[in-house]
Amino acid sequence: MNSFGNIFRLTTFGESHGPAIGGIIDGCPAGLLLDASLVDAELKRRREGDTPSPDTTQRREPDQVEWLSGFLDGKTLGTPIAFVIHNRDHHSEDYDALRDCCRPGHADYTYMQKYGLRDHRGGGRASGRETAARVVAGAIAKMWLRTQGVTLQATHQGYIITCTVHGLPAGVGEHVFDRLNARLAYAVLSIPSASAFTMGEGMDDWRLSAENYPDQWVSQGQGENLTATNHCGGIQGGISNGMPVVFHVGFHPPVTRPDGMVCRCPDGTLKQVAPQGRHDGDHSSRLPVIVESMAALAIADLMFIHTVPHL
Amino acid sequence: MNSFGNIFRLTTFGESHGPAIGGIIDGCPAGLLLDASLVDAELKRRREGDTPSPDTTQRREPDQVEWLSGFLDGKTLGTPIAFVIHNRDHHSEDYDALRDCCRPGHADYTYMQKYGLRDHRGGGRASGRETAARVVAGAIAKMWLRTQGVTLQATHQGYIITCTVHGLPAGVGEHVFDRLNARLAYAVLSIPSASAFTMGEGMDDWRLSAENYPDQWVSQGQGENLTATNHCGGIQGGISNGMPVVFHVGFHPPVTRPDGMVCRCPDGTLKQVAPQGRHDGDHSSRLPVIVESMAALAIADLMFIHTVPHL
Amino acid sequence: MNSFGNIFRLTTFGESHGPAIGGIIDGCPAGLLLDASLVDAELKRRREGDTPSPDTTQRREPDQVEWLSGFLDGKTLGTPIAFVIHNRDHHSEDYDALRDCCRPGHADYTYMQKYGLRDHRGGGRASGRETAARVVAGAIAKMWLRTQGVTLQATHQGYIITCTVHGLPAGVGEHVFDRLNARLAYAVLSIPSASAFTMGEGMDDWRLSAENYPDQWVSQGQGENLTATNHCGGIQGGISNGMPVVFHVGFHPPVTRPDGMVCRCPDGTLKQVAPQGRHDGDHSSRLPVIVESMAALAIADLMFIHTVPHL
Amino acid sequence: MNSFGNIFRLTTFGESHGPAIGGIIDGCPAGLLLDASLVDAELKRRREGDTPSPDTTQRREPDQVEWLSGFLDGKTLGTPIAFVIHNRDHHSEDYDALRDCCRPGHADYTYMQKYGLRDHRGGGRASGRETAARVVAGAIAKMWLRTQGVTLQATHQGYIITCTVHGLPAGVGEHVFDRLNARLAYAVLSIPSASAFTMGEGMDDWRLSAENYPDQWVSQGQGENLTATNHCGGIQGGISNGMPVVFHVGFHPPVTRPDGMVCRCPDGTLKQVAPQGRHDGDHSSRLPVIVESMAALAIADLMFIHTVPHL
């Protein structure tokens, strides 16, 4: 259950304060040139945000990706691509105060209920650090999408991320359960803190009157000029129509409080706990690259399914 | 790609004006009593809405479910449950005007781009009629969920459906990609016309300040009294915490216009087409049962995965 | 768990003496012409065998396939193909003597252990009748394979079926777990009574000395002239090499005894039970078409995976 | 397509002469104690065989497993278990003579046809070295199976491996496509060089007369005393019956010739190539642990599916 995708599939692993995080990308075609600088640039965006602020720059060391398989002479072999990012600078003793209690708004309590034990150090598997593996895989997906003329760009405004996909051909998305919008929502709502999703119209004005809703055809229009408006966000009946695909993701604010939290003890009593270990302030400037990465994985997978040759 | 679920899995088939629609439910435990009256009541809700209005009552004939396999003496066998609903009263000649042109706001154009041909009669596979199969399967899921003490209720307000799940134990949902919120969004955004999703807070006020967001523990609280508020909608880190699960789904208005539409011809030119065949006015009162059905399928599947026995 | 295949996927349903058996074929490309006569001919082969004998002809009525979805004007739509074969002439009271006891060599005891209840009438889901759905789906797979120049032919000798696939291009099969030979074995060993499988060499002489084993290249050879011998059965490293693919399947003899059986009662005691209902003598002449069908499903699925476009 | 299993799932990566091989095990329950000595012992069996001979001992250095995630304080967390074995002592220049030509009996030609390029060094992904990842994962599966009372033991005789599973409860295996015998065949025929499989009876005498075939019940018998004989190898109708599960796997001999090979050039011409790099003589004594590992993975996965709670 740590995999995403049917044909182009990412499987991830790693706890925040364990030895490493990483993943395996399966289903990447042979012959794709590795653009290592893109991977580094994307990881830098995730670490520092597109608009670096004092809040988000405290962990200065760059993430180093180690490629373990899947390449020869800088090209993909068609075999699984495995990568590892080793964790550094982790003072796990910082978290001893949390070993036996559960913070509000975090995954502590639910992990204990699910597994009977948990890695209490910095969130363990539930940490936002896990998203670095998504960004590496998303960069590989973007490299392949570029060969198909598809690009993605996400921007943030407060805690709303708007993502636009250009160049996606008509016909991508399956017709019932695996609609393009359903797969995009599945992909981006798996990002920690994500809590809202809309297609087309903005997060706060997603409703239109029935008269205005349907996008009217442009005579002889096609591709990104197919319709006069794009209220549907480039998707009709769950399938791309050639217009730009546009969607929005809303995130809730960080739940780690700089002034400490009232935590739950195993016997159900509460106690005040001072802040522990690393923690982040506003993280919204880091979110666009994570949204782009998950969208790239979802779209690449659907494109592989779509391009199964028809008669 | 016409399947939903990993262990408790629904596969559907059928075009709106073909001989029948239906599906196969795989992974349902043996020994479950079939409550045929629940299935009928749910199909009636889908057909007429929870609050019947003149707009939604034109198709009066009830849908008759034919069970083809999976039962003996009224109990499930543990083998696949197949069911069929035959289509009736379909005047497919009504749609001849649409054979060669694509309506705005519908799946006509994208199906043509994807498959090179399409069933033009009443939307074919893209028709809302396909949701009847989801409702039948959702009713089976609800029967099993009832044995676990889990119930769902959805209500509508304008085009926003709010769904609340009671009795879900803590620990349901996987920790990275298959989070409970991500699977719920995937499930309900695959419903035709669905375009928005939020967890916890309402569709139009999903944002809270960072100070107010984290739900505080109740001392000694558990189950539906675990936290003082429920801003997170019963999900922490993608896993249920025992509080009621609450989410909202936004739908766009119907795109079939009673006064006709400007359609796109194969050569890219446009023409006015008069309204064809059956069409619906306001359909919002029918949506709650469909949302409940998809949520029931998603939750049952995650519960089966969760209850894989731990040590 | 009643599905086979990843992209070209069959899901089946139905008990031997329930209302019907059938299935859903998902992933079939749009635009494929339905050859209904092939389906009928294949079902006739399954029912009567390639070499009809008195033993195998007692059920004379042909199986009638009802197509429920996926076609328009005789061509596939790209949507799921659902089909049903209604069961007829079933006298389920014939099996009352077996309601409470388990025959030797059948699935009676294991179904009771697995599900806590079972359909005792004629084997229920464990009956060989379920293979009719495989044959219908296999015929659809063969129609698509024909458009790619791929044909299959199986012959029987005693209880050994030898199947040869012609026209399969090099490159089909995945390199680690989903090797062509592993998928073929998975496919055909799921047929009731199948108990042995070999690639290349015959069932009883599958071993060769190390000196003779590797097939030597023919200078400038390609396709079906690539190598001087074909000991490997057309598969190197799990992937087709362009030579004919050859494999063998061994079946155990029928376990229904015409003179009755000593059965196991719920309390563990034994009792003699006279023969019940329909039963078959030698069924080996029916097996080739079932082996071909499962092989066609496995190969079509791997071809769709293979043809995911490379760079 | 580099994954095996539905709930308990292994995904592997790595080329023989790349930086590393390894894998991710998903779906392992939380709280399982890691027995590192078992992993080391199993890897030693794979490296040296159960009966070490001069042929199989040339690579003396032990494989060192590095655990990257999934454990805390020596217990599984329920999160993915990632492991890496770094490749050492690889002189990839040894293989330059093979860069442009394809050996007989190897995967060289089929990889070129499938991917358009290949890692020519020591077999790349097609190397038997990849099986080390299966053995590590198989050891984890065995640790869990031990907690359920299930053990496996395989022995070799010439190139036939016989594997016996003790303690498997009745009811494991799905009833149509995912039969226990079909999943076992799928699992073990994915091992390099595997070419034959039988259930129950031996590889060379798998046929019995119809009179002798069905195993007769023992009065009041159960578990490993259920039937008087075990011709069916502990499986009836694809589901375990509580008797020992017994199957056999046949392998073809090594195809790397110590005296060189006639290889195929890109233009189709042939040339003699001297032996390159490391190569193995008789490897049959190494096969039992690999067969056990794949069988353990297949059985653990089916047990998780089976233990999905019934009503």
Side-chain angles (χ1 to χ4, degrees):
Chain A
M1 293 298 148
N2 288 276
S3 299
F4 187 82
N6 289 291
I7 293 188
F8 188 91
R9 182 188 295 174
L10 169 66
T11 304
T12 69
F13 67 86
E15 282 75 45
S16 172
H17 286 64
I21 61 166
I24 298 176
I25 302 161
D26 204 352
C28 188
L32 183 70
L33 274 168
L34 174 64
D35 180 350
S37 66
L38 176 64
V39 179
D40 290 341
E42 296 283 85
L43 284 172
K44 188 166 185 291
R45 286 177 70 197
R46 194 200 74 93
R47 203 171 54 249
E48 301 178 6
D50 289 322
T51 314
S53 76
D55 274 344
T56 56
T57 53
Q58 50 183 308
R59 296 187 229 173
R60 302 308 314 234
E61 81 280 17
D63 289 312
Q64 299 278 2
V65 179
E66 183 183 0
W67 303 98
L68 296 182
S69 68
F71 292 101
L72 183 70
D73 302 336
K75 279 188 187 169
T76 56
L77 283 162
T79 57
I81 299 169
F83 62 92
V84 168
I85 303 173
H86 286 273
N87 291 324
R88 294 183 295 181
D89 186 25
H90 46 80
H91 304 291
S92 52
E93 64 276 18
D94 287 354
Y95 296 92
D96 283 352
L98 294 176
R99 182 181 277 272
D100 291 320
C101 75
C102 295
R103 293 165 294 176
H106 288 74
D108 301 350
Y109 176 80
T110 52
Y111 270 55
M112 280 304 297
Q113 293 294 311
K114 187 176 186 71
Y115 299 111
L117 76 174
R118 76 178 214 271
D119 188 340
H120 60 285
R121 302 166 303 170
R125 182 74 175 145
S127 166
R129 176 147 183 77
E130 170 268 335
T131 59
R134 307 186 190 214
V135 168
V136 173
I140 299 287
K142 283 180 176 180
M143 288 173 208
W144 181 77
L145 288 171
R146 279 197 309 210
T147 70
Q148 310 293 311
V150 181
T151 57
L152 302 96
Q153 186 161 24
T155 57
H156 69 97
Q157 184 181 29
Y159 280 97
I160 298 175
I161 308 300
T162 295
C163 184
T164 305
V165 185
H166 286 286
L168 192 67
V172 176
E174 298 301 307
H175 54 257
V176 178
F177 299 117
D178 288 309
R179 290 167 185 249
L180 178 49
N181 43 331
R183 293 295 296 190
L184 285 171
Y186 177 22
V188 299
L189 279 166
S190 76
I191 300 171
S193 304
S195 55
F197 175 88
T198 68
M199 282 304 304
E201 302 306 314
M203 198 71 231
D204 292 315
D205 55 353
W206 61 273
R207 277 185 291 182
L208 289 172
S209 65
E211 291 72 31
N212 292 331
Y213 183 77
D215 301 297
Q216 300 301 315
W217 303 114
V218 170
S219 181
Q220 310 291 340
Q222 57 182 338
E224 303 212 346
N225 295 310
L226 182 74
T227 55
T229 53
N230 192 18
H231 299 314
C232 72
I235 299 177
Q236 289 174 285
I239 300 171
S240 64
N241 66 4
M243 293 287 287
V245 169
V246 185
F247 63 92
H248 314 270
V249 196
F251 289 81
H252 68 65
V255 287
T256 303
R257 298 286 295 276
D259 55 348
M261 294 169 285
V262 177
C263 294
R264 181 187 161 96
C265 302
D267 64 357
T269 60
L270 310 183
K271 70 171 174 183
Q272 175 80 19
V273 173
Q276 313 295 333
R278 307 185 293 217
H279 59 86
D280 300 326
D282 179 64
H283 61 277
S284 59
S285 71
R286 297 171 168 191
L287 293 171
V289 69
I290 304 173
V291 169
E292 288 174 18
S293 297
M294 288 308 300
L297 290 168
I299 289 171
D301 187 45
L302 286 173
M303 287 184 75
F304 281 115
I305 293 170
H306 173 58
T307 47
V308 165
H310 298 170
L311 292 176
Chain B
M1 293 298 147
N2 287 276
S3 298
F4 186 82
N6 290 290
I7 293 188
F8 188 92
R9 183 189 293 174
L10 170 65
T11 304
T12 69
F13 67 85
E15 283 75 44
S16 172
H17 286 63
I21 62 166
I24 299 175
I25 302 162
D26 204 353
C28 187
L32 184 68
L33 275 168
L34 174 64
D35 179 351
S37 66
L38 177 63
V39 178
D40 289 341
E42 296 283 85
L43 284 171
K44 188 166 186 291
R45 287 177 69 196
R46 195 200 75 92
R47 202 171 54 251
E48 301 178 6
D50 289 320
T51 314
S53 77
D55 274 345
T56 55
T57 53
Q58 51 184 302
R59 295 186 232 174
R60 301 310 312 240
E61 81 280 16
D63 289 312
Q64 298 278 4
V65 180
E66 184 183 0
W67 303 97
L68 297 182
S69 67
F71 292 99
L72 183 70
D73 302 335
K75 279 188 186 169
T76 56
L77 284 163
T79 57
I81 299 168
F83 61 93
V84 168
I85 302 173
H86 286 273
N87 292 323
R88 294 182 295 181
D89 185 26
H90 45 80
H91 304 291
S92 53
E93 64 276 18
D94 286 354
Y95 296 93
D96 283 351
L98 294 176
R99 182 181 276 273
D100 292 320
C101 75
C102 295
R103 293 165 294 177
H106 289 73
D108 301 350
Y109 176 80
T110 52
Y111 269 56
M112 280 304 296
Q113 293 295 311
K114 185 175 188 72
Y115 299 110
L117 77 173
R118 76 176 212 273
D119 188 340
H120 60 286
R121 302 166 303 170
R125 182 74 175 144
S127 165
R129 175 145 183 79
E130 169 268 336
T131 58
R134 307 186 191 214
V135 168
V136 173
I140 299 287
K142 283 180 175 181
M143 287 173 209
W144 181 77
L145 288 171
R146 279 196 309 210
T147 70
Q148 311 293 311
V150 181
T151 58
L152 302 93
Q153 184 162 25
T155 56
H156 70 96
Q157 183 181 30
Y159 279 97
I160 298 175
I161 309 299
T162 295
C163 185
T164 305
V165 186
H166 286 287
L168 192 67
V172 176
E174 298 301 305
H175 53 257
V176 178
F177 298 117
D178 288 310
R179 290 167 185 249
L180 178 49
N181 44 328
R183 294 293 297 189
L184 285 172
Y186 177 23
V188 297
L189 279 166
S190 75
I191 300 171
S193 304
S195 55
F197 175 89
T198 68
M199 284 304 304
E201 302 306 313
M203 199 69 231
D204 292 317
D205 54 355
W206 61 274
R207 277 185 290 182
L208 289 172
S209 64
E211 290 73 31
N212 292 332
Y213 182 75
D215 300 299
Q216 301 301 314
W217 304 113
V218 170
S219 181
Q220 309 292 341
Q222 57 182 339
E224 303 211 347
N225 295 311
L226 183 73
T227 55
T229 53
N230 191 19
H231 299 314
C232 73
I235 299 177
Q236 289 173 285
I239 300 171
S240 64
N241 67 4
M243 292 286 288
V245 169
V246 184
F247 64 92
H248 314 270
V249 196
F251 290 81
H252 68 64
V255 288
T256 302
R257 299 286 294 277
D259 54 349
M261 294 169 284
V262 178
C263 294
R264 181 187 162 95
C265 303
D267 64 358
T269 58
L270 308 183
K271 69 170 176 183
Q272 176 81 19
V273 174
Q276 314 294 333
R278 307 185 293 217
H279 58 86
D280 302 324
D282 178 63
H283 61 280
S284 59
S285 70
R286 298 172 169 192
L287 294 171
V289 68
I290 304 173
V291 168
E292 288 174 20
S293 296
M294 288 308 300
L297 290 168
I299 289 171
D301 187 46
L302 286 173
M303 286 185 76
F304 281 115
I305 294 170
H306 173 59
T307 47
V308 165
H310 297 172
L311 292 177
Chain C
M1 293 299 150
N2 287 276
S3 300
F4 186 82
N6 290 290
I7 294 187
F8 188 91
R9 181 188 294 173
L10 169 65
T11 304
T12 70
F13 68 85
E15 282 76 45
S16 172
H17 285 63
I21 61 166
I24 298 176
I25 303 162
D26 204 352
C28 187
L32 184 69
L33 275 168
L34 174 64
D35 180 350
S37 66
L38 177 63
V39 179
D40 290 341
E42 296 283 86
L43 283 171
K44 189 166 184 293
R45 287 177 69 197
R46 194 199 75 92
R47 202 172 53 251
E48 301 178 5
D50 290 321
T51 314
S53 76
D55 274 344
T56 56
T57 53
Q58 51 184 306
R59 295 188 229 173
R60 301 310 312 240
E61 80 282 16
D63 289 312
Q64 297 278 4
V65 180
E66 183 184 0
W67 303 97
L68 297 183
S69 68
F71 292 100
L72 183 70
D73 302 336
K75 280 188 187 170
T76 56
L77 283 162
T79 57
I81 300 168
F83 62 92
V84 168
I85 303 173
H86 286 272
N87 291 324
R88 294 183 294 183
D89 185 26
H90 45 81
H91 303 292
S92 53
E93 63 276 17
D94 286 355
Y95 296 92
D96 283 351
L98 293 176
R99 182 182 276 272
D100 291 320
C101 75
C102 294
R103 293 165 294 177
H106 289 73
D108 301 349
Y109 176 80
T110 52
Y111 269 55
M112 280 304 296
Q113 293 294 311
K114 187 176 186 71
Y115 299 111
L117 76 175
R118 75 177 214 272
D119 188 339
H120 60 286
R121 302 166 304 169
R125 183 75 175 144
S127 165
R129 176 147 182 77
E130 170 268 335
T131 58
R134 308 185 190 214
V135 168
V136 173
I140 299 286
K142 283 180 175 181
M143 288 173 209
W144 181 77
L145 289 171
R146 280 197 309 212
T147 69
Q148 311 293 311
V150 181
T151 57
L152 302 94
Q153 186 161 24
T155 57
H156 69 97
Q157 184 182 27
Y159 279 97
I160 298 175
I161 309 299
T162 295
C163 184
T164 306
V165 186
H166 286 286
L168 192 67
V172 176
E174 298 301 306
H175 54 258
V176 178
F177 299 117
D178 288 310
R179 291 166 184 249
L180 178 49
N181 44 329
R183 294 295 296 191
L184 285 171
Y186 178 22
V188 297
L189 279 166
S190 75
I191 300 170
S193 304
S195 55
F197 175 89
T198 68
M199 283 305 304
E201 303 306 313
M203 198 69 231
D204 291 317
D205 55 353
W206 62 274
R207 277 186 289 183
L208 289 172
S209 65
E211 291 71 33
N212 292 332
Y213 183 76
D215 301 298
Q216 300 300 316
W217 304 114
V218 170
S219 181
Q220 310 292 341
Q222 57 181 340
E224 303 212 347
N225 295 311
L226 182 73
T227 55
T229 53
N230 192 19
H231 299 313
C232 73
I235 299 177
Q236 289 173 284
I239 300 171
S240 65
N241 67 4
M243 293 285 289
V245 168
V246 184
F247 64 92
H248 314 270
V249 197
F251 290 81
H252 68 65
V255 288
T256 302
R257 300 285 295 277
D259 54 350
M261 294 168 284
V262 177
C263 294
R264 181 187 161 97
C265 303
D267 65 356
T269 59
L270 310 183
K271 68 171 175 183
Q272 176 81 20
V273 174
Q276 314 295 334
R278 307 184 295 217
H279 58 86
D280 301 324
D282 179 63
H283 60 279
S284 59
S285 70
R286 298 171 169 193
L287 294 171
V289 69
I290 305 173
V291 168
E292 288 174 19
S293 296
M294 288 308 300
L297 289 168
I299 289 171
D301 187 46
L302 286 172
M303 287 185 74
F304 281 114
I305 293 170
H306 173 59
T307 47
V308 164
H310 297 171
L311 292 176
Chain D
M1 294 297 149
N2 287 275
S3 298
F4 186 83
N6 289 292
I7 293 187
F8 188 91
R9 182 189 294 173
L10 169 66
T11 304
T12 69
F13 68 85
E15 282 75 44
S16 171
H17 286 64
I21 62 166
I24 298 176
I25 302 162
D26 205 352
C28 187
L32 184 69
L33 275 168
L34 174 64
D35 179 351
S37 66
L38 176 63
V39 179
D40 290 341
E42 296 283 86
L43 284 171
K44 189 167 185 291
R45 286 177 70 196
R46 195 200 74 93
R47 202 171 56 250
E48 301 179 6
D50 289 321
T51 314
S53 76
D55 273 345
T56 56
T57 53
Q58 51 183 305
R59 296 186 229 172
R60 301 311 311 241
E61 81 281 14
D63 289 312
Q64 298 279 3
V65 180
E66 184 183 0
W67 304 97
L68 296 182
S69 69
F71 292 100
L72 183 70
D73 302 336
K75 280 188 186 170
T76 55
L77 284 162
T79 57
I81 300 168
F83 62 91
V84 168
I85 303 172
H86 286 271
N87 291 324
R88 293 184 294 181
D89 185 27
H90 46 79
H91 304 291
S92 53
E93 63 275 18
D94 286 356
Y95 296 93
D96 283 351
L98 294 177
R99 182 181 278 271
D100 291 321
C101 76
C102 295
R103 292 165 293 176
H106 289 74
D108 301 350
Y109 175 80
T110 53
Y111 269 55
M112 281 303 297
Q113 293 295 311
K114 185 175 187 72
Y115 299 111
L117 76 175
R118 76 177 213 272
D119 188 340
H120 60 286
R121 303 166 303 170
R125 183 74 176 145
S127 165
R129 175 146 184 78
E130 170 268 336
T131 58
R134 307 186 191 213
V135 168
V136 173
I140 299 287
K142 283 180 176 182
M143 287 173 210
W144 181 76
L145 288 171
R146 278 197 309 210
T147 70
Q148 310 293 311
V150 180
T151 58
L152 303 95
Q153 185 162 23
T155 57
H156 70 96
Q157 183 181 29
Y159 279 98
I160 297 175
I161 309 299
T162 295
C163 185
T164 305
V165 185
H166 286 287
L168 192 67
V172 177
E174 298 301 307
H175 53 257
V176 178
F177 299 117
D178 289 309
R179 289 167 186 250
L180 178 49
N181 44 329
R183 294 294 296 189
L184 286 171
Y186 177 23
V188 298
L189 279 166
S190 76
I191 300 171
S193 305
S195 56
F197 175 89
T198 68
M199 281 306 303
E201 303 305 313
M203 199 70 230
D204 292 317
D205 53 354
W206 62 274
R207 277 186 289 183
L208 289 172
S209 64
E211 290 72 30
N212 293 331
Y213 183 76
D215 301 298
Q216 300 301 314
W217 304 113
V218 169
S219 180
Q220 310 292 340
Q222 57 181 338
E224 304 212 346
N225 294 311
L226 183 73
T227 55
T229 53
N230 192 19
H231 299 313
C232 72
I235 299 177
Q236 289 173 284
I239 300 172
S240 64
N241 67 4
M243 292 286 288
V245 168
V246 185
F247 64 92
H248 313 269
V249 196
F251 289 81
H252 68 64
V255 288
T256 302
R257 299 284 295 276
D259 55 349
M261 295 168 284
V262 177
C263 294
R264 180 186 162 96
C265 302
D267 65 357
T269 59
L270 308 183
K271 69 170 176 183
Q272 175 81 18
V273 174
Q276 314 293 333
R278 306 185 294 215
H279 59 85
D280 301 324
D282 178 64
H283 60 279
S284 59
S285 71
R286 298 170 170 194
L287 293 171
V289 69
I290 304 173
V291 169
E292 288 174 18
S293 296
M294 289 307 300
L297 289 168
I299 288 171
D301 188 44
L302 286 173
M303 286 184 75
F304 281 115
I305 293 170
H306 172 58
T307 47
V308 164
H310 298 170
L311 292 177

